[in-house]
Amino acid sequence: MNSMQNKIIAMAQLVSFLAMWIFVIGIIIWIINLISISVELQDAPGVSLGISLVAIPVFITLACILTYAYFGFKKNTSNLKNHSED
Amino acid sequence: MPKKIQYENELDAPLFRPIYETGKGFYITVGILMLIILWALIMYITQIWFGLGVTGMNQTITWGFYIINFVFFIGISHAGTLISAILRLSRAEWRRPITRMAEVITAIVLAIGGLHPILDLGRPDRVLNIFTSGRLQSPLLWDVTSITAYFTASTVYLYLPMIPDIAKLRDKGGKLTWFYSFLSWGWQGTEHQKKVLNRAISILMIMVIPIAISVHTVISYIFSMTLQPGWHSTIFGPYFVVGAIFSGIAVLLILMIVSRKVFHLEDYLKKIHFQYLSTLLLIMALLWFYFTFSEFLTGIFGSEPHEMEIIHYKFTGPYALFFWGMLLLNFIIPVIILSIKRFKTITGILIASIAVVIGMWLERLNIVVPSLANPRMELPIGIYIPSLVEWSLFLGGIAVFILGFVLFSKFFPLISIWEIEEGREEGIKEVEERVHSYLPGKETGSK
Amino acid sequence: MPKWAMVIDLDKCTGCGDCIAACKLENNIAIVSPEEANDGRVMFWMDMITIYEGEYPNIRVKRFPKPCFHCDNPPCTKVCPVNATYKNEEGLIGQIYHRCIGCRYCMVACPYTAKVFNWLEPEWPDEFKNCFNPDVSLRMMGVVEKCSFCAHRLLKVKEDADSDEREILDNEYLPACSESCPANAIDFGDLENKESRVYNLSRSSRAYREMEDLGTEPKVIYLQKRE
């Protein structure tokens, strides 16, 4: 069934999109974990904090760009679906 | 009976052809590459089983091929995204057939390069310790962070501009429609979607440049943050970035020339593209020489004894062949070929690019081994002879790179079809308006 | 907090190598095969640096034992990605064998080449296996190791001192090299203890440290008459 296939594909796209966010959030959790270890051991925590201040926004921005594109494309498809015949 | 996919009457039929037609050459190439990769895998398993003792590394020369190739492969990655991003930013129209290949090179070579430190570990089974007890204070972890960031950014930067082409393949139907549907995110080519895509690409192309520069700078910091003579130099950051862009452009040129021949893309990758890109290669050769000259002039003038030991080792000692070979391949050959118009043919550019790739690998060798072979403490000068395992893994890395590229060409167009179309439909008009805006007189109007 | 340091008197040292042998026995250091030794993979925690000076026939040979210097500003701990090498409060630089991932960055960063690596699974001849030191863990393939100032002896001495409710006496905690040296050239003790031998020797006019200008603040002090 074509529409069945479309539904599976839409689901797969959503799953891959969420996986991307899980990846980015995983990296952020990892960096925060390393910062907390460095604070606990008093092992130059300023360096860890400095690096995280650059790295975390980079990953979040990348994820947001993908999110923007993902929903930006979807928005129009749903409009088209409403208007087209099949 | 599978539906015959119609593409011959497309204006850009040659760009679709590699996807829909598979010749014998493809299978032979993939077969050979997979054999090489299988061999490399077997060699790596012997290394895991017996330990790093199967390599040629020893006391004082504790880093060898794996670190050299790590720096080498990550260096090549600068071709792609940096060139593609800078050319897009500067709105150079001649970038259109080049950007896709450049971005593919980056994505593949980053994955290979990023794996090399794990190949180098004595205990790869403990690599997860980086997550549980890592130290962001260590330059190695700065590396992990920035390479991950760059890999993510360049994959996104490769993927987003691919979406309109994937949608084209989806609409053609017949082959892997579900795959292309999945990847194309419902692209229909509407005005709104085009705006979203262009905005996303614009933000990305600006973001990617500092990330790319940070990657090779941070790799250089692995060396320059130690106290070893020959490494503890402030020039390393920019030196490595320049070297990376240099080797990256060379690899890009080689792949362009080969793809042009194999896939019959003469109409798309024209002489002018090679002229422009090889001029960039020439500029990078001169820049690279400038940095190298500064580095050694400073060392020799200062004559600090440990530095001089290393400089002698490179100039007149056991590494003289590699050092002067590097200068010949990186500077003399490319500059001669690329500055004399008669030599600047496609074959000439191919020779120059191959020379640069080998020369840049030698440069990494000349950075890693001499400083380690001449330790500060009075120990005998070290000798490093790479073993079969190290050579196999090096070849395996190259094979993975070529395989990745070949497989990519089988499923996706190597040249961005929609950007070529955009160039035809809108590019000429836009450039005309732009040039008019530079000239004195009225803002609009072409009269 | 004690600060453990070593003083090596080069005017007494004969270069006999007893310290090296004692160190190997004490710390269960692997003995590599002759082929591996040829490739430059011998494992020395205490090494003997040999310096030849002058031209033939007026050659002078200088030998000095070189353990890990346990620097106060160590370049190796700065670069470890997993905190497997660290500096503890008593000034000892430790190595956590179970955490080390074998990246060898600390080896590359150390200007004194103090660390060694287990390139293969460590091996010992059968006779050696009968006299392993039970206080020192055996290392596995693929990890970095180095002189620990025989920290296992410190733990024992601390236990004794705690159970007797007293401080550690000067010269109660001695690494194997110091204990075995037939010329009594290696002294060891607490730099914070103003009455210890080590403290007094460190203030001698003959005292110097290797490559002090690098700023590593090594805690092995050499004594040598200035020429």
Side-chain angles (χ1 to χ4, degrees):
Chain A
M1 287 282 178
N2 221 0
S3 73
M4 188 71 223
Q5 255 192 338
N6 284 342
K7 281 215 179 72
I8 298 179
I9 289 179
M11 186 95 303
Q13 285 172 341
L14 185 63
V15 166
S16 66
F17 173 72
L18 290 174
M20 182 271 299
W21 266 108
I22 292 177
F23 171 69
V24 170
I25 293 179
I27 290 185
I28 295 177
I29 293 179
W30 165 60
I31 293 181
I32 295 180
N33 181 28
L34 292 193
I35 297 177
S36 76
I37 293 178
S38 75
V39 166
E40 189 188 317
L41 294 175
Q42 275 304 308
D43 187 7
V47 177
S48 315
L49 211 60
I51 292 175
S52 64
L53 278 176
V54 177
I56 295 181
V58 163
F59 282 105
I60 294 188
T61 315
L62 287 173
C64 287
I65 292 178
L66 272 177
T67 311
Y68 169 63
Y70 183 74
F71 287 114
F73 296 165
K74 284 268 180 239
K75 171 171 160 194
N76 233 58
T77 329
S78 60
N79 279 349
L80 265 181
K81 277 216 184 85
N82 289 338
H83 291 153
S84 66
E85 282 303 299
D86 58 335
Chain B
M1 192 71 183
K3 183 176 83 172
K4 176 97 169 65
I5 301 169
Q6 292 298 328
Y7 66 89
E8 282 299 340
N9 42 347
E10 288 262 356
L11 196 54
D12 294 312
L15 301 182
F16 285 100
R17 196 169 294 128
I19 302 177
Y20 294 121
E21 280 182 23
T22 312
K24 239 190 334 189
F26 175 76
Y27 292 112
I28 296 178
T29 314
V30 170
I32 296 178
L33 290 173
M34 299 216 71
L35 277 176
I36 298 178
I37 294 173
L38 185 64
W39 172 251
L41 211 62
I42 295 174
M43 288 285 103
Y44 183 55
I45 293 177
T46 63
Q47 184 184 289
I48 295 188
W49 185 256
F50 291 110
L52 278 171
V54 302
T55 67
M57 296 186 275
N58 50 40
Q59 187 63 5
T60 78
I61 306 189
T62 48
W63 275 353
F65 259 33
Y66 300 140
I67 297 291
I68 294 173
N69 293 336
F70 166 56
V71 182
F72 177 64
F73 281 122
I74 304 272
I76 294 177
S77 77
H78 271 52
T81 317
L82 212 54
I83 294 300
S84 153
I86 292 183
L87 289 183
R88 269 215 183 93
L89 248 183
S90 56
R91 301 211 252 168
E93 285 292 317
W94 60 276
R95 71 166 195 278
R96 290 180 188 279
I98 301 181
T99 53
R100 175 74 48 80
M101 261 188 260
E103 290 152 16
V104 171
I105 293 178
T106 299
I108 301 176
V109 105
L110 268 179
I112 301 174
L115 276 181
H116 266 76
I118 300 186
L119 291 182
D120 183 56
L121 289 182
R123 302 289 318 198
D125 54 315
R126 292 184 190 169
V127 72
L128 292 176
N129 281 356
I130 290 189
F131 296 109
T132 53
S133 55
R135 290 178 71 244
L136 274 175
Q137 299 83 335
S138 162
L140 268 181
L141 276 210
W142 302 348
D143 236 356
V144 170
T145 314
S146 77
I147 291 181
T148 312
Y150 188 33
F151 184 61
T152 316
S154 71
T155 312
V156 174
Y157 189 53
L158 165 68
Y159 174 53
L160 280 183
M162 254 170 51
I163 290 181
D165 277 355
I166 300 178
K168 276 202 213 300
L169 293 172
R170 168 199 66 194
D171 294 337
K172 282 242 171 289
K175 177 182 169 178
L176 293 176
T177 326
W178 60 269
F179 180 55
Y180 295 128
S181 286
F182 169 62
L183 284 178
S184 54
W185 280 7
W187 175 266
Q188 296 295 337
T190 63
E191 280 308 307
H192 175 79
Q193 283 178 333
K194 279 196 192 153
K195 234 191 333 194
V196 169
L197 184 69
N198 276 320
R199 203 175 284 155
I201 294 181
S202 312
I203 302 177
L204 262 178
M205 72 186 175
I206 299 179
M207 253 189 88
V208 135
I209 296 178
I211 298 179
I213 294 183
S214 81
V215 163
H216 231 250
T217 309
V218 161
I219 290 193
S220 79
Y221 286 169
I222 293 182
F223 300 104
S224 63
M225 296 291 148
T226 67
L227 291 170
Q228 299 302 350
W231 283 5
H232 195 52
S233 164
T234 55
I235 212 179
F236 261 38
Y239 188 28
F240 270 51
V241 173
V242 163
I245 303 177
F246 188 31
S247 57
I249 299 182
V251 169
L252 177 61
L253 275 169
I254 296 176
L255 277 175
M256 275 167 63
I257 295 175
V258 170
S259 321
R260 180 178 185 260
K261 193 75 194 291
V262 169
F263 298 120
H264 307 292
L265 298 171
E266 287 87 354
D267 220 9
Y268 294 90
L269 295 171
K270 304 167 105 158
K271 265 217 141 150
I272 190 87
H273 296 109
F274 292 104
Q275 296 288 336
Y276 284 173
L277 209 52
S278 59
T279 306
L280 268 178
L281 190 69
L282 174 64
I283 296 175
M284 297 314 293
L286 296 169
L287 248 178
W288 177 86
F289 181 71
Y290 165 60
F291 274 101
T292 309
F293 181 73
S294 297
E295 174 89 16
F296 284 105
L297 183 66
T298 316
I300 296 174
F301 206 88
S303 282
E304 203 259 341
H306 290 293
E307 279 265 4
M308 286 312 290
E309 253 178 54
I310 300 195
I311 292 181
H312 276 305
Y313 190 79
K314 290 185 196 176
F315 276 32
T316 56
Y319 263 53
L321 176 70
F322 301 128
F323 181 75
W324 296 110
M326 165 186 87
L327 270 180
L328 176 75
L329 292 169
N330 264 355
F331 182 61
I332 299 181
I333 292 183
V335 166
I336 292 180
I337 294 183
L338 298 178
S339 34
I340 300 179
K341 202 153 179 204
R342 209 154 50 100
F343 294 151
K344 205 171 170 181
T345 60
I346 301 243
T347 322
I349 294 175
L350 183 65
I351 297 176
S353 304
I354 295 179
V356 167
V357 169
I358 302 176
M360 280 313 292
W361 187 86
L362 283 177
E363 193 232 33
R364 312 309 190 199
L365 179 73
N366 285 326
I367 287 179
V368 171
V369 177
S371 289
L372 290 177
N374 294 283
R376 283 184 186 272
M377 297 290 322
E378 302 276 341
L379 291 165
I381 297 182
I383 301 178
Y384 173 58
I385 302 175
S387 69
L388 179 65
V389 174
E390 288 163 297
W391 281 111
S392 309
L393 283 177
F394 183 26
L395 264 164
I398 299 178
V400 170
F401 173 55
I402 302 177
L403 183 68
F405 195 75
V406 166
L407 285 180
F408 183 86
S409 71
K410 182 49 50 192
F411 293 106
F412 304 106
L414 269 182
I415 293 184
S416 182
I417 303 177
W418 72 276
E419 285 187 270
I420 300 275
E421 282 177 1
E422 190 193 49
R424 274 191 204 109
E425 290 156 18
E426 299 166 16
I428 299 180
K429 243 191 320 177
E430 195 206 303
V431 171
E432 215 185 304
E433 282 172 11
R434 223 190 303 154
V435 174
H436 272 284
S437 73
Y438 301 154
L439 298 168
K442 280 212 300 269
E443 268 301 314
T444 55
S446 52
K447 301 298 180 290
Chain C
M1 268 287 93
K3 199 161 165 203
W4 303 107
M6 185 184 276
V7 172
I8 303 182
D9 193 338
L10 293 179
D11 292 326
K12 284 186 187 169
C13 171
T14 59
C16 67
D18 216 12
C19 47
I20 303 177
C23 172
K24 280 204 102 132
L25 281 171
E26 175 80 10
N27 291 293
N28 305 330
I29 301 178
I31 311 235
V32 300
S33 69
E35 295 83 35
E36 288 291 304
N38 242 355
D39 287 337
R41 290 183 181 159
V42 193
M43 318 251 311
F44 280 140
W45 285 18
M46 169 69 93
D47 200 354
M48 186 68 73
I49 305 287
T50 316
I51 304 179
Y52 297 96
E53 281 178 0
E55 296 274 313
Y56 184 80
N58 301 319
I59 299 185
R60 247 183 350 183
V61 183
K62 290 204 318 207
R63 285 205 174 82
F64 67 95
K66 174 192 70 104
C68 165
F69 289 169
H70 290 264
C71 309
D72 270 336
N73 182 19
C76 60
T77 58
K78 280 189 205 164
V79 296
C80 177
V82 291
N83 223 354
T85 182
Y86 65 99
K87 187 173 125 177
N88 78 1
E89 311 137 315
E90 298 186 12
L92 295 173
I93 309 292
Q95 189 84 26
I96 306 177
Y97 306 123
H98 282 85
R99 195 183 277 177
C100 175
I101 57 175
C103 71
R104 311 184 301 294
Y105 199 1
C106 59
M107 294 179 73
V108 153
C110 176
Y112 305 112
T113 327
K115 297 192 166 191
V116 287
F117 186 66
N118 286 286
W119 296 100
L120 300 167
E121 194 66 51
E123 283 173 349
W124 300 266
D126 290 326
E127 303 85 350
F128 205 98
K129 288 188 189 154
N130 288 333
C131 53
F132 277 149
N133 185 347
D135 294 327
V136 177
S137 56
L138 298 179
R139 278 76 61 192
M140 62 292 285
M141 164 177 91
V143 298
V144 174
E145 54 182 54
K146 69 168 188 68
C147 156
S148 59
F149 275 177
C150 290
H152 53 280
R153 293 186 170 201
L154 175 61
L155 291 174
K156 271 209 169 138
V157 162
K158 263 199 192 147
E159 263 179 39
D160 288 341
D162 280 345
S163 67
D164 290 344
E165 286 171 0
R166 58 169 172 83
E167 295 289 318
I168 301 178
L169 306 165
D170 191 29
N171 286 349
E172 190 181 355
Y173 158 43
L174 290 177
C177 50
S178 171
E179 198 182 336
S180 78
C181 177
N184 287 327
I186 304 183
D187 274 297
F188 189 84
D190 179 8
L191 270 182
E192 297 290 315
N193 178 2
K194 303 287 189 264
E195 286 156 33
S196 65
R197 269 182 68 85
V198 155
Y199 178 73
N200 288 316
L201 284 174
S202 71
R203 306 179 77 232
S204 145
S205 59
R206 292 185 299 141
Y208 77 94
R209 301 177 206 222
E210 277 291 319
M211 291 194 241
E212 261 178 300
D213 50 316
L214 289 178
T216 49
E217 298 172 33
K219 290 212 291 300
V220 170
I221 299 149
Y222 289 97
L223 301 176
Q224 187 166 53
K225 241 197 186 63
R226 296 296 162 84
E227 284 122 27

Short mmCIF file of all heavy atoms in Angstrom, two decimals, chain B residues 334-354:
data_model
loop_
_atom_site.label_atom_id
_atom_site.label_comp_id
_atom_site.label_asym_id
_atom_site.label_seq_id
_atom_site.Cartn_x
_atom_site.Cartn_y
_atom_site.Cartn_z
N PRO B 334 54.93 21.40 -7.35
CA PRO B 334 53.66 22.11 -7.61
C PRO B 334 53.88 23.53 -8.13
O PRO B 334 53.17 23.97 -9.03
CB PRO B 334 52.97 22.14 -6.25
CG PRO B 334 53.63 21.12 -5.44
CD PRO B 334 55.02 21.00 -5.94
N VAL B 335 54.87 24.25 -7.58
CA VAL B 335 55.03 25.63 -8.01
C VAL B 335 55.46 25.69 -9.47
O VAL B 335 54.97 26.50 -10.25
CB VAL B 335 56.03 26.37 -7.09
CG1 VAL B 335 56.46 27.67 -7.71
CG2 VAL B 335 55.40 26.64 -5.75
N ILE B 336 56.36 24.77 -9.85
CA ILE B 336 56.79 24.79 -11.25
C ILE B 336 55.62 24.47 -12.17
O ILE B 336 55.35 25.17 -13.14
CB ILE B 336 57.93 23.76 -11.48
CG1 ILE B 336 59.19 24.21 -10.76
CG2 ILE B 336 58.20 23.62 -12.97
CD1 ILE B 336 60.34 23.26 -10.94
N ILE B 337 54.89 23.40 -11.83
CA ILE B 337 53.81 22.99 -12.73
C ILE B 337 52.71 24.04 -12.78
O ILE B 337 52.20 24.38 -13.85
CB ILE B 337 53.22 21.64 -12.28
CG1 ILE B 337 54.24 20.53 -12.44
CG2 ILE B 337 51.97 21.32 -13.08
CD1 ILE B 337 53.72 19.17 -12.09
N LEU B 338 52.36 24.58 -11.61
CA LEU B 338 51.17 25.42 -11.58
C LEU B 338 51.42 26.87 -11.95
O LEU B 338 50.48 27.63 -12.15
CB LEU B 338 50.53 25.35 -10.18
CG LEU B 338 50.05 23.96 -9.78
CD1 LEU B 338 49.50 23.98 -8.38
CD2 LEU B 338 49.01 23.46 -10.75
N SER B 339 52.69 27.28 -12.03
CA SER B 339 52.87 28.68 -12.41
C SER B 339 53.25 28.83 -13.87
O SER B 339 53.17 29.92 -14.41
CB SER B 339 53.91 29.36 -11.51
OG SER B 339 54.91 28.48 -11.13
N ILE B 340 53.58 27.72 -14.52
CA ILE B 340 53.90 27.82 -15.94
C ILE B 340 52.69 27.35 -16.73
O ILE B 340 52.24 26.22 -16.60
CB ILE B 340 55.12 26.96 -16.29
CG1 ILE B 340 56.31 27.44 -15.47
CG2 ILE B 340 55.42 27.07 -17.77
CD1 ILE B 340 57.55 26.64 -15.72
N LYS B 341 52.16 28.25 -17.56
CA LYS B 341 50.89 27.97 -18.21
C LYS B 341 50.93 26.69 -19.05
O LYS B 341 49.98 25.93 -19.10
CB LYS B 341 50.53 29.15 -19.12
CG LYS B 341 49.07 29.22 -19.42
CD LYS B 341 48.63 30.64 -19.72
CE LYS B 341 47.13 30.61 -20.04
NZ LYS B 341 46.74 31.70 -20.85
N ARG B 342 52.11 26.44 -19.67
CA ARG B 342 52.20 25.28 -20.54
C ARG B 342 52.03 23.97 -19.77
O ARG B 342 51.57 22.98 -20.31
CB ARG B 342 53.55 25.28 -21.25
CG ARG B 342 53.52 24.61 -22.62
CD ARG B 342 54.60 25.16 -23.50
NE ARG B 342 55.88 25.15 -22.80
CZ ARG B 342 56.82 24.22 -23.00
NH1 ARG B 342 56.60 23.24 -23.83
NH2 ARG B 342 57.96 24.28 -22.33
N PHE B 343 52.44 23.98 -18.47
CA PHE B 343 52.36 22.75 -17.69
C PHE B 343 51.03 22.60 -16.99
O PHE B 343 50.73 21.55 -16.44
CB PHE B 343 53.47 22.72 -16.63
CG PHE B 343 54.85 22.65 -17.21
CD1 PHE B 343 55.92 23.20 -16.53
CD2 PHE B 343 55.08 22.04 -18.42
CE1 PHE B 343 57.20 23.13 -17.05
CE2 PHE B 343 56.35 21.98 -18.95
CZ PHE B 343 57.42 22.52 -18.26
N LYS B 344 50.23 23.69 -16.97
CA LYS B 344 49.04 23.66 -16.13
C LYS B 344 47.87 22.98 -16.86
O LYS B 344 46.77 23.48 -16.90
CB LYS B 344 48.67 25.10 -15.76
CG LYS B 344 47.88 25.23 -14.47
CD LYS B 344 47.77 26.71 -14.11
CE LYS B 344 46.79 26.91 -12.98
NZ LYS B 344 46.62 28.32 -12.62
N THR B 345 48.15 21.80 -17.42
CA THR B 345 47.08 21.03 -18.04
C THR B 345 46.47 20.12 -16.99
O THR B 345 46.94 20.06 -15.87
CB THR B 345 47.64 20.14 -19.15
OG1 THR B 345 48.60 19.26 -18.53
CG2 THR B 345 48.32 20.95 -20.21
N ILE B 346 45.43 19.40 -17.41
CA ILE B 346 44.79 18.51 -16.43
C ILE B 346 45.79 17.45 -15.96
O ILE B 346 45.85 17.14 -14.77
CB ILE B 346 43.54 17.85 -17.05
CG1 ILE B 346 42.57 18.94 -17.49
CG2 ILE B 346 42.92 16.89 -16.07
CD1 ILE B 346 41.25 18.95 -16.82
N THR B 347 46.61 16.94 -16.87
CA THR B 347 47.60 15.95 -16.44
C THR B 347 48.60 16.59 -15.49
O THR B 347 48.96 16.00 -14.46
CB THR B 347 48.36 15.41 -17.66
OG1 THR B 347 47.46 15.28 -18.73
CG2 THR B 347 49.01 14.09 -17.34
N GLY B 348 49.03 17.80 -15.83
CA GLY B 348 49.98 18.50 -14.97
C GLY B 348 49.41 18.71 -13.59
O GLY B 348 50.08 18.51 -12.57
N ILE B 349 48.13 19.13 -13.55
CA ILE B 349 47.49 19.37 -12.26
C ILE B 349 47.39 18.07 -11.48
O ILE B 349 47.58 18.04 -10.27
CB ILE B 349 46.10 20.00 -12.47
CG1 ILE B 349 46.25 21.39 -13.08
CG2 ILE B 349 45.35 20.09 -11.16
CD1 ILE B 349 44.95 22.03 -13.44
N LEU B 350 47.14 16.97 -12.18
CA LEU B 350 47.07 15.67 -11.50
C LEU B 350 48.41 15.33 -10.87
O LEU B 350 48.48 14.91 -9.71
CB LEU B 350 46.65 14.59 -12.49
CG LEU B 350 46.47 13.19 -11.90
CD1 LEU B 350 45.32 13.18 -10.92
CD2 LEU B 350 46.21 12.17 -12.99
N ILE B 351 49.49 15.54 -11.63
CA ILE B 351 50.82 15.22 -11.10
C ILE B 351 51.11 16.10 -9.89
O ILE B 351 51.59 15.63 -8.85
CB ILE B 351 51.89 15.42 -12.18
CG1 ILE B 351 51.67 14.45 -13.32
CG2 ILE B 351 53.29 15.25 -11.60
CD1 ILE B 351 52.63 14.64 -14.46
N ALA B 352 50.81 17.40 -10.03
CA ALA B 352 51.08 18.31 -8.91
C ALA B 352 50.29 17.88 -7.67
O ALA B 352 50.81 17.86 -6.56
CB ALA B 352 50.72 19.74 -9.30
N SER B 353 49.02 17.51 -7.87
CA SER B 353 48.19 17.14 -6.72
C SER B 353 48.69 15.88 -6.05
O SER B 353 48.74 15.78 -4.83
CB SER B 353 46.73 16.94 -7.15
OG SER B 353 46.27 18.09 -7.77
N ILE B 354 49.08 14.88 -6.86
CA ILE B 354 49.59 13.65 -6.26
C ILE B 354 50.87 13.95 -5.48
O ILE B 354 51.08 13.45 -4.37
CB ILE B 354 49.83 12.58 -7.34
CG1 ILE B 354 48.51 12.17 -7.98
CG2 ILE B 354 50.52 11.36 -6.76
CD1 ILE B 354 48.65 11.15 -9.07
#
